């Protein structure tokens, strides 16, 4: 190591087929002073498949130790080390360890770069057959049923295509919750084992996908859901406006921000949504 500050390299790894590994990955694995891996055993299998030998120190960096290990890696970077961060599949930080280390490096004004690689989010989105011009990534839905419903209700009116990760044993329950909140006819695609031997993309309405998943689904799962249709302002009564504001308030938004968000969502003046909320509040007061 030298006195010159080092560099943090975020490297994308294959999400299935090892042949998809970016060409630069092998060189980075060979040259890094430190390789921080989510699973060192998986890293060993990857290096063997690529025919590369790591010359630097290999350390584990996963959810259970990233808080404790981040300061150590930051000091190594400040001392001139080239630190390579890899996760089990895809790009570090995207529903994987990495964000904490990147944020700490940025706070210290240390250089961060990336080796782009395969992405389950973008691969599933491209294969889904759903609109790709605007989308948002929602990560893993909460495990608890109540929290999951609450999170889904927050985005019930989202016009952009939604992308989720999900564990196979929770897929059926999550699809059922999505059908309940978004509607059984909302189009979606379940992408399973992307780039692997048994890759499958199942498309249909959420209700259909709930039935399909009832007997269990295996593999790595990415779910893509069509965004909400454009609301017809004339078709929305005051009760629906009040309901949408209430959902946002229950999710933690202040009333003023919730009213503004609903107004923008449905294409109405903020005053009209505000008046609906005030009228509902007055109607709920007990008679004198």
């Amino acid at each position: 190591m030298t006195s010159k500050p080092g560099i943090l390299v975020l490297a994308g790894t294959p999400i299935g087929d090892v042949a998809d590994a970016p060409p630069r990955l092998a060189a980075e694995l060979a040259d890094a002073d430190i390789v921080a891996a989510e699973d060192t055993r998986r890293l060993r299998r990857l290096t063997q498949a690529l025919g590369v030998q790591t010359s630097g120190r290999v350390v584990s960096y996963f959810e259970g130790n990233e808080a404790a290990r981040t300061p150590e890696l930051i000091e190594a970077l400040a001392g001139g080390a080239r630190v390579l961060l890899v996760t089990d599949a895809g790009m570090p930080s995207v529903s994987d360890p990495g964000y904490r280390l990147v944020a700490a490096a940025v706070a210290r004004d240390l250089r961060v770069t990336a080796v782009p690689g395969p992405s389950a989010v973008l691969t599933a989105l491209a294969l889904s057959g759903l609109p790709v011009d605007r989308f948002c990534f929602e990560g893993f839905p909460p495990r608890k049923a109540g929290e999951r419903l609450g999170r889904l209700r927050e985005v019930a009116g989202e016009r952009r295509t939604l992308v989720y990760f999900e564990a196979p044993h929770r897929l059926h329950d999550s699809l059922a919750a999505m059908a309940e909140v978004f509607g059984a006819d909302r189009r979606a695609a379940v992408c399973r084992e992307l780039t692997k031997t048994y890759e499958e993309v199942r498309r249909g309405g959420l209700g259909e996908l709930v039935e399909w998943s009832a007997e269990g689904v295996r593999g790595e799962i990415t779910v893509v859901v069509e965004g909400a249709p454009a609301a017809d302002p004339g078709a929305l009564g005051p009760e629906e406006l009040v309901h949408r504001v209430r959902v946002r308030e229950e999710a933690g938004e202040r009333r003023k921000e919730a009213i503004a968000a609903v107004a923008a969502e449905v294409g109405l003046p903020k005053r009209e949504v505000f008046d609906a909320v005030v009228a509902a509040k007055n109607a709920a007061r007990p008679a004198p």
Side-chain angles (χ1 to χ4, degrees), residues 98-134:
Y99 167 75
R100 191 190 301 268
L101 182 57
V102 173
V106 170
R108 289 280 295 271
D109 200 25
L110 297 167
R111 188 179 170 199
V112 182
T113 189
V115 177
S119 165
V121 174
L122 297 181
T123 303
L125 185 68
L127 294 177
S128 69
L130 298 173
V132 299
D133 54 333
R134 299 175 68 222

Side-chain angles (χ1 to χ4, degrees), residues 138-142 145 148-153 155-156 162-167 170-190 205-210 221-226:
E138 287 290 307
F140 284 90
R148 182 166 54 228
L149 284 171
R151 185 73 60 80
L152 294 174
R153 286 174 182 142
V155 295
L162 302 164
V163 184
Y164 294 90
F165 287 158
E166 188 52 288
R170 291 195 296 270
L171 177 65
H172 178 71
D173 289 342
S174 284
L175 289 173
M178 290 176 185
E180 177 183 340
V181 174
F182 301 152
D185 293 333
R186 181 84 71 88
R187 293 187 300 162
V190 176
L206 283 168
E208 298 173 50
L209 295 174
V210 170
I221 305 291
T222 306
V223 180
V224 186
V225 183
E226 182 180 31

Side-chain angles (χ1 to χ4, degrees), residues 33-173:
D33 297 306
I34 300 174
V35 179
E38 184 177 9
D39 187 325
T40 56
R41 293 167 299 180
R42 288 200 180 193
L43 172 65
R44 192 176 304 115
R45 291 197 291 271
L46 177 62
T47 56
Q48 289 172 349
L50 295 177
V52 63
Q53 181 89 29
T54 56
S55 59
R57 182 163 61 99
V58 175
V59 300
S60 63
Y61 189 80
F62 61 100
E63 185 179 1
N65 76 350
E66 62 176 323
R69 179 140 280 164
T70 293
E72 171 191 333
L73 295 176
I74 290 297
E75 290 311 310
L77 285 165
R82 189 176 189 90
V83 177
L84 177 68
L85 178 61
V86 294
T87 55
D88 292 346
M91 181 60 68
S93 289
V94 182
S95 284
D96 276 332
Y99 167 75
R100 191 190 301 268
L101 182 57
V102 173
V106 170
R108 289 280 295 271
D109 200 25
L110 297 167
R111 188 179 170 199
V112 182
T113 189
V115 177
S119 165
V121 174
L122 297 181
T123 303
L125 185 68
L127 294 177
S128 69
L130 298 173
V132 299
D133 54 333
R134 299 175 68 222
F135 71 94
C136 55
F137 175 56
E138 287 290 307
F140 284 90
R143 298 184 181 189
K144 295 182 179 179
E147 293 179 8
R148 182 166 54 228
L149 284 171
R151 185 73 60 80
L152 294 174
R153 286 174 182 142
E154 289 179 26
V155 295
E158 175 59 64
R159 299 278 303 281
R160 293 171 294 180
T161 299
L162 302 164
V163 184
Y164 294 90
F165 287 158
E166 188 52 288
H169 61 282
R170 291 195 296 270
L171 177 65
H172 178 71
D173 289 342

Side-chain angles (χ1 to χ4, degrees), residues 188-256:
V190 176
C191 304
R192 186 180 71 84
E193 294 290 87
L194 290 171
T195 77
K196 299 178 184 177
T197 302
Y198 298 104
E199 175 180 285
E200 178 183 17
V201 179
R202 178 70 62 142
R203 305 174 183 88
L206 283 168
E208 298 173 50
L209 295 174
V210 170
E211 293 182 12
W212 164 75
S213 64
E215 296 183 4
V217 177
R218 295 181 179 181
E220 300 287 335
I221 305 291
T222 306
V223 180
V224 186
V225 183
E226 182 180 31
D232 177 2
L236 295 176
E239 296 82 3
E240 175 63 19
L241 297 175
V242 172
H243 170 72
R244 293 191 182 204
V245 171
R246 185 176 297 120
V247 166
R248 287 180 172 275
E249 286 186 294
E250 291 173 352
E253 287 188 22
R254 293 187 299 176
R255 178 164 294 178
K256 181 178 179 181

